[in-house]
Amino acid sequence: ARAAEAPRYVTVSAASFKPGSTCRDPDPVAPRRNGTSAVLRLTHRHGPCAPARASSLAAPSVADTLRADQRRAEYILRRVSGAGAQQLVGSKAAATVPASWGYDIGTLNYVVTASLGTPGVAQTLEVDTGSDLSWVQCKPCAASSCYSQKDPLFDPARSSSYAAVPCGGSACAGLGLYASGCSAAQCGYVVSYGDGSNTRGVYGSDTLTLTATDAVQGFLFGCGHAQSGLLTGIDGLLGLGRLPVSLVGQTAGAYGGAFSYCLPTKPSTTGYLTLGGAASAAAPGFATTQLLTSPGAPTYYIVMLTGISVGGQALSVPASAFAGGTVVDTGTVVTRLPPAAYAALRSAFRSGMTAYPSAAPNGILDTCYDLSGYSTVTLPSVALVLSSGATLTLGADGILSFGCLAFAASGSDGG
Amino acid sequence: MAILGNVQQRSFEVRIDGDSVGFRPGAC
């Protein structure tokens, strides 16, 4: 019934797809539900609303973004399918990290600012629901071992509240697969990423100040002394995955393990990241669906996609095509669909776009259009239906990106 | 397996509370 009520088309100004050169919401009034929430301003890393420290770096090209996105998606799919989990177990036993372990953070474009230490030092951190361990670059860090960043390096020696995690304790043991031996009785950590990027250093604790009124005492994070790869420019990463070492896990006592975020539509607007605020399932305005888990990949938040409609018409895709579940990931750019579902979506979308000239494919995006010369664009609506009937009717920005249908197949049939 | 990427999450508030995932459109 909901699908039948969905709009058949969405019409927007062609200019709305442009990123915008000025921040339209430089200091929004953050939503605040109750006294147990901490709300952080969230922005696109490359845009006029980004912290000045992060915005001067050039954005990666579309081609680079899509290539990095494909590596991340392939990694996630391997982990969820079980192959990645086997690699993780093997890596622990061998005390080495295979190059394929981890993910590519080149597509993590959304940042928040928090302060670390006493006195607090501002850190621009990429938010990632697809990983757990948080880290920042720390002094000492030789130029050959750390990438350049706009903020001064965090110096644990100048923080009165910093403590290195000792070896042998529960906190060090909690690192699990991220553990990397001991040095001078300090607990070491390492995170290696699918493209060969990595961070390595000392596991430590310090005060993480989220807002003027919200701080996490004894926050455990990686103090990175050696980084390489596609990490340039950021101060660190905020892991929001499901494992206990993530920010969400560490603050479960204070915030109930609940969090929410809103990714801005374009770089010239802002969103937010809220820790806490657990509300009833009947919260107004929300379409709610069950949170699922994957035993082989416990980091991920998984929902069950059950159908897709285009132009108000449900696609003819067998339910079994969606049976594997859907990872909700802030670090993947383009939604990946099972091949049968993507083929049906693409066909229906193309049928609704015959008024526009097609354009050359762009990397993994194979359904592109030349929209130059149009003042408005009318797209077939796209709605994603989740278990329990929750329906996400996408806005134009969720349908078309880089001039292309912003979906891709998640692999080959039977893969 | 599918992945819901950040292009499709934009402007939704996504709320995760341990039992469920909620999506609120037009939140930012």
Side-chain angles (χ1 to χ4, degrees), chain A residues 84-95 177:
Chain A
Q86 291 168 3
Q87 288 180 331
L88 288 171
V89 171
S91 71
K92 183 179 182 183
L177 295 163

PDB file of all heavy atoms in Angstrom, chain A residues 84-95 177:
ATOM      1  N   GLY A  84      36.135 -13.111   4.582  1.00  0.00           N
ATOM      2  CA  GLY A  84      36.935 -12.157   5.332  1.00  0.00           C
ATOM      3  C   GLY A  84      37.155 -12.609   6.762  1.00  0.00           C
ATOM      4  O   GLY A  84      38.233 -12.450   7.314  1.00  0.00           O
ATOM      5  N   ALA A  85      36.121 -13.210   7.335  1.00  0.00           N
ATOM      6  CA  ALA A  85      36.242 -13.664   8.709  1.00  0.00           C
ATOM      7  C   ALA A  85      37.334 -14.720   8.832  1.00  0.00           C
ATOM      8  O   ALA A  85      38.116 -14.737   9.778  1.00  0.00           O
ATOM      9  CB  ALA A  85      34.901 -14.228   9.183  1.00  0.00           C
ATOM     10  N   GLN A  86      37.395 -15.606   7.854  1.00  0.00           N
ATOM     11  CA  GLN A  86      38.443 -16.624   7.894  1.00  0.00           C
ATOM     12  C   GLN A  86      39.821 -15.979   7.802  1.00  0.00           C
ATOM     13  O   GLN A  86      40.764 -16.384   8.458  1.00  0.00           O
ATOM     14  CB  GLN A  86      38.232 -17.612   6.742  1.00  0.00           C
ATOM     15  CG  GLN A  86      36.993 -18.472   6.944  1.00  0.00           C
ATOM     16  CD  GLN A  86      36.606 -19.240   5.708  1.00  0.00           C
ATOM     17  OE1 GLN A  86      37.297 -19.182   4.706  1.00  0.00           O
ATOM     18  NE2 GLN A  86      35.508 -19.954   5.784  1.00  0.00           N
ATOM     19  N   GLN A  87      39.916 -14.941   6.999  1.00  0.00           N
ATOM     20  CA  GLN A  87      41.188 -14.250   6.898  1.00  0.00           C
ATOM     21  C   GLN A  87      41.570 -13.622   8.233  1.00  0.00           C
ATOM     22  O   GLN A  87      42.723 -13.648   8.627  1.00  0.00           O
ATOM     23  CB  GLN A  87      41.109 -13.155   5.826  1.00  0.00           C
ATOM     24  CG  GLN A  87      41.071 -13.703   4.414  1.00  0.00           C
ATOM     25  CD  GLN A  87      40.982 -12.581   3.411  1.00  0.00           C
ATOM     26  OE1 GLN A  87      40.452 -11.524   3.694  1.00  0.00           O
ATOM     27  NE2 GLN A  87      41.503 -12.817   2.232  1.00  0.00           N
ATOM     28  N   LEU A  88      40.585 -13.079   8.914  1.00  0.00           N
ATOM     29  CA  LEU A  88      40.865 -12.436  10.182  1.00  0.00           C
ATOM     30  C   LEU A  88      41.395 -13.446  11.189  1.00  0.00           C
ATOM     31  O   LEU A  88      42.377 -13.204  11.877  1.00  0.00           O
ATOM     32  CB  LEU A  88      39.598 -11.765  10.720  1.00  0.00           C
ATOM     33  CG  LEU A  88      39.156 -10.510   9.993  1.00  0.00           C
ATOM     34  CD1 LEU A  88      37.793 -10.089  10.482  1.00  0.00           C
ATOM     35  CD2 LEU A  88      40.153  -9.395  10.209  1.00  0.00           C
ATOM     36  N   VAL A  89      40.751 -14.594  11.265  1.00  0.00           N
ATOM     37  CA  VAL A  89      41.206 -15.613  12.193  1.00  0.00           C
ATOM     38  C   VAL A  89      42.627 -16.029  11.836  1.00  0.00           C
ATOM     39  O   VAL A  89      43.507 -16.152  12.686  1.00  0.00           O
ATOM     40  CB  VAL A  89      40.249 -16.827  12.167  1.00  0.00           C
ATOM     41  CG1 VAL A  89      40.833 -17.973  12.972  1.00  0.00           C
ATOM     42  CG2 VAL A  89      38.895 -16.426  12.722  1.00  0.00           C
ATOM     43  N   GLY A  90      42.852 -16.233  10.564  1.00  0.00           N
ATOM     44  CA  GLY A  90      44.180 -16.643  10.127  1.00  0.00           C
ATOM     45  C   GLY A  90      45.224 -15.605  10.458  1.00  0.00           C
ATOM     46  O   GLY A  90      46.346 -15.924  10.858  1.00  0.00           O
ATOM     47  N   SER A  91      44.856 -14.338  10.316  1.00  0.00           N
ATOM     48  CA  SER A  91      45.839 -13.292  10.557  1.00  0.00           C
ATOM     49  C   SER A  91      46.233 -13.244  12.025  1.00  0.00           C
ATOM     50  O   SER A  91      47.376 -12.985  12.358  1.00  0.00           O
ATOM     51  CB  SER A  91      45.267 -11.935  10.124  1.00  0.00           C
ATOM     52  OG  SER A  91      44.253 -11.522  11.004  1.00  0.00           O
ATOM     53  N   LYS A  92      45.265 -13.527  12.886  1.00  0.00           N
ATOM     54  CA  LYS A  92      45.593 -13.483  14.311  1.00  0.00           C
ATOM     55  C   LYS A  92      46.552 -14.619  14.664  1.00  0.00           C
ATOM     56  O   LYS A  92      47.539 -14.419  15.369  1.00  0.00           O
ATOM     57  CB  LYS A  92      44.315 -13.595  15.144  1.00  0.00           C
ATOM     58  CG  LYS A  92      44.573 -13.479  16.641  1.00  0.00           C
ATOM     59  CD  LYS A  92      43.268 -13.582  17.408  1.00  0.00           C
ATOM     60  CE  LYS A  92      43.527 -13.420  18.910  1.00  0.00           C
ATOM     61  NZ  LYS A  92      42.287 -13.583  19.670  1.00  0.00           N
ATOM     62  N   ALA A  93      46.252 -15.786  14.146  1.00  0.00           N
ATOM     63  CA  ALA A  93      47.085 -16.927  14.474  1.00  0.00           C
ATOM     64  C   ALA A  93      48.514 -16.708  14.001  1.00  0.00           C
ATOM     65  O   ALA A  93      49.476 -17.134  14.641  1.00  0.00           O
ATOM     66  CB  ALA A  93      46.485 -18.183  13.844  1.00  0.00           C
ATOM     67  N   ALA A  94      48.650 -16.019  12.885  1.00  0.00           N
ATOM     68  CA  ALA A  94      49.982 -15.839  12.322  1.00  0.00           C
ATOM     69  C   ALA A  94      50.630 -14.543  12.805  1.00  0.00           C
ATOM     70  O   ALA A  94      51.772 -14.277  12.459  1.00  0.00           O
ATOM     71  CB  ALA A  94      49.892 -15.830  10.802  1.00  0.00           C
ATOM     72  N   ALA A  95      49.907 -13.762  13.596  1.00  0.00           N
ATOM     73  CA  ALA A  95      50.408 -12.479  14.089  1.00  0.00           C
ATOM     74  C   ALA A  95      50.795 -11.549  12.944  1.00  0.00           C
ATOM     75  O   ALA A  95      51.680 -10.735  13.074  1.00  0.00           O
ATOM     76  CB  ALA A  95      51.582 -12.675  15.038  1.00  0.00           C
ATOM     77  N   LEU A 177      41.559  -8.589  17.428  1.00  0.00           N
ATOM     78  CA  LEU A 177      42.311  -8.711  16.175  1.00  0.00           C
ATOM     79  C   LEU A 177      43.102  -7.462  15.832  1.00  0.00           C
ATOM     80  O   LEU A 177      43.921  -7.482  14.920  1.00  0.00           O
ATOM     81  CB  LEU A 177      41.353  -9.051  15.037  1.00  0.00           C
ATOM     82  CG  LEU A 177      40.688 -10.416  15.187  1.00  0.00           C
ATOM     83  CD1 LEU A 177      39.474 -10.527  14.288  1.00  0.00           C
ATOM     84  CD2 LEU A 177      41.687 -11.524  14.873  1.00  0.00           C
TER      85      LEU A 177
END
